[in-house]
Amino acid sequence: MSETIIQIINAVLGIVYVLLEGSASMWLWPLGVVQPIFALIVGWQSQTYSTILVQLYYLITCIIGWISWQRRRRDGSGGETAHPPITHIPRRELAICALATVAAFGLILVSVETFSPYPAVEAAGTALCFLGMYLLIRAYVESWYVWIVSNLLYTVLYALIPGYFYTAILYGVLTLLAVRGLIVWRRKMNHESDQL
């Protein structure tokens, strides 16, 4: 398969994934197991090796997220909805997440600086992806702020690498979809709290 076709398939699956995520649909998790395979290939071809690490992380966390959301629905904390309750991240957990993200950024930057075309942008986007997936599994609305920034960084990264126009477009669209997801999740969270 050509690089362009792989980028297009990755883009389409990525957009569908974020639409499902924005709707808090349980179907985001099975698609999240398939889509990273194409993103792994794009990461390898573009020599953005930390994105390969992110995609492996996505594969694992999508399985964990799927199990977690199913369990939270069944144990009553998610009711009959297709998702667990959407909440804000507790302040104590926010501080721990911030420290872990800064540490991940430093480790990734050191790891990719010798071979990445844009190591700081790649490291920041990757560290934020790790945080975003953790927050998504926990159904914290703040995951969307993280996705917005991460997707913007990846839009810039792939726009700077020749031949990765479709992947840059993908991340640009994902940024817009993350704004939509934030709006939808905030409405769902407010609706859920009004019903209590």
Side-chain angles (χ1 to χ4, degrees):
M1 239 186 271
S2 77
E3 288 182 11
T4 301
I5 292 191
I6 290 170
Q7 285 185 68
I8 291 170
I9 292 170
N10 181 52
V12 169
L13 292 176
I15 289 167
V16 172
Y17 174 86
V18 173
L19 287 170
L20 292 170
E21 182 181 353
S23 301
S25 169
M26 188 66 70
W27 288 104
L28 76 99
W29 300 114
L31 184 59
V33 173
V34 174
Q35 188 269 333
I37 295 167
F38 291 93
L40 282 165
I41 297 167
V42 171
W44 183 262
Q45 291 172 337
S46 63
Q47 298 178 342
T48 53
Y49 298 113
S50 70
T51 63
I52 293 171
L53 183 62
V54 167
Q55 299 310 320
L56 292 172
Y57 175 73
Y58 283 172
L59 279 169
I60 294 165
T61 55
C62 281
I63 294 167
I64 293 168
W66 198 352
I67 293 166
S68 173
W69 278 32
Q70 289 285 5
R71 186 175 297 138
R72 288 171 70 188
R73 279 179 47 200
R74 279 193 301 255
D75 73 7
S77 61
E80 295 301 316
T81 62
H83 59 84
I86 297 168
T87 60
H88 285 291
I89 186 171
R91 287 186 185 196
R92 181 169 183 248
E93 196 170 343
L94 179 62
I96 293 167
C97 285
L99 289 172
T101 303
V102 169
F105 169 76
L107 289 171
I108 295 164
L109 182 60
V110 168
S111 301
V112 301
E113 71 181 337
T114 57
F115 55 80
S116 174
Y118 302 97
V121 177
E122 187 176 341
T126 302
L128 288 172
C129 285
F130 287 132
L131 175 62
M133 281 303 286
Y134 170 77
L135 298 176
L136 174 63
I137 289 170
R138 306 285 293 160
Y140 293 142
V141 73
E142 289 81 8
S143 66
W144 290 104
Y145 295 109
V146 173
W147 290 128
I148 291 167
V149 175
S150 176
N151 289 330
L152 280 171
L153 289 169
Y154 277 123
T155 301
V156 171
L157 176 67
Y158 284 105
L160 293 170
I161 300 172
Y164 287 87
F165 172 77
Y166 294 107
T167 302
I169 293 296
L170 164 65
Y171 282 105
V173 171
L174 293 180
T175 302
L176 297 175
L177 291 176
V179 172
R180 177 190 171 272
L182 174 63
I183 293 166
V184 170
W185 274 41
R186 287 179 66 95
R187 281 188 195 144
K188 284 180 182 285
M189 185 176 63
N190 291 336
H191 179 71
E192 289 168 5
S193 65
D194 289 345
Q195 290 183 330
L196 295 177

